[in-house]
Amino acid sequence: MRIGLTGGIATGKSTVSAYLQQQGVVVIDADLVARQVIEPGGLAYAEVKAAFPTAFIDGQLVRSKLGDIIFHDNEMRIILNELMHPKIRKQMLEMATQQEQTGQSIVVFDIPLLLEGDWKQLVDQVVVVYCPAELQKQRLMERNHLTAEEAQARMNAQLDIEQKKRLADYVLTNESTREALYRQIDSWLKTIRPV
């Protein structure tokens, strides 16, 4: 079974992901794969290097240089996404297939923008890590040392958390203790793990 794990910024998705791994569940992290595909020899390396030559020094991508380009030029950001997303998807699907061939019955794709992109069709179930928007903003301000406006701007760059909750097949609510969240994860795992 392939699970898509997502949530809003600062809702606790990383905490869920880490706990799942502790429970022996295979988690394939889209952010990690995105880094791998632009390493030398990675699936997107040559194309990204050709499209963004000024972002590379001695054959290595300098992330800050790439960031400067794409955050100030929407067209270039679209080009980067068009080069990267198919390669990220290809690598994640290959990794999942390898895990399934070794007998893993559950593979979790940790994808921050699962519902914003066209990833939903690749998974059997969408799990959203949820907390109310006000709590989300408070956590984000504390975690990243942001003003309320800066935190809200980051939250606005993603699909609204209430909308994500409505699109989920299963919701993990993270508004009290870590232990309470872990208990919810354990309950959910019982519903999908083969007996």
Side-chain angles (χ1 to χ4, degrees), residues 25-40:
V25 176
V26 171
V27 177
I28 299 173
D29 184 330
D31 289 341
L32 208 61
V33 173
R35 291 177 187 277
Q36 293 169 354
V37 299
I38 50 177
E39 293 290 317

Side-chain angles (χ1 to χ4, degrees), residues 24-109:
V25 176
V26 171
V27 177
I28 299 173
D29 184 330
D31 289 341
L32 208 61
V33 173
R35 291 177 187 277
Q36 293 169 354
V37 299
I38 50 177
E39 293 290 317
L43 293 176
Y45 176 79
E47 291 175 15
V48 172
K49 189 169 185 254
F52 299 89
T54 59
F56 287 78
I57 294 176
D58 298 329
Q60 289 290 328
L61 175 68
V62 179
R63 290 184 183 286
S64 58
K65 285 182 176 286
L66 184 62
D68 287 343
I69 297 167
I70 64 165
F71 289 122
H72 297 104
D73 187 335
N74 202 37
E75 236 170 79
M76 293 307 277
R77 184 166 64 240
I78 291 166
I79 290 169
L80 180 66
N81 287 340
E82 286 172 353
L83 293 174
M84 296 277 295
H85 289 175
K87 305 292 196 261
I88 295 167
R89 180 183 310 244
K90 181 177 192 289
Q91 185 156 325
M92 289 180 77
L93 291 173
E94 285 173 4
M95 291 166 78
T97 300
Q98 286 169 356
Q99 290 295 333
E100 289 158 352
Q101 287 169 348
T102 66
Q104 290 293 336
S105 59
I106 301 166
V107 175
V108 173
F109 291 124

Side-chain angles (χ1 to χ4, degrees), residues 131-141 152 155 161:
C131 73
E134 273 312 305
L135 180 56
Q136 182 185 6
K137 186 196 281 190
Q138 182 188 329
R139 286 178 179 165
L140 185 55
M141 287 165 64
Q152 192 62 54
M155 287 166 62
I161 193 64

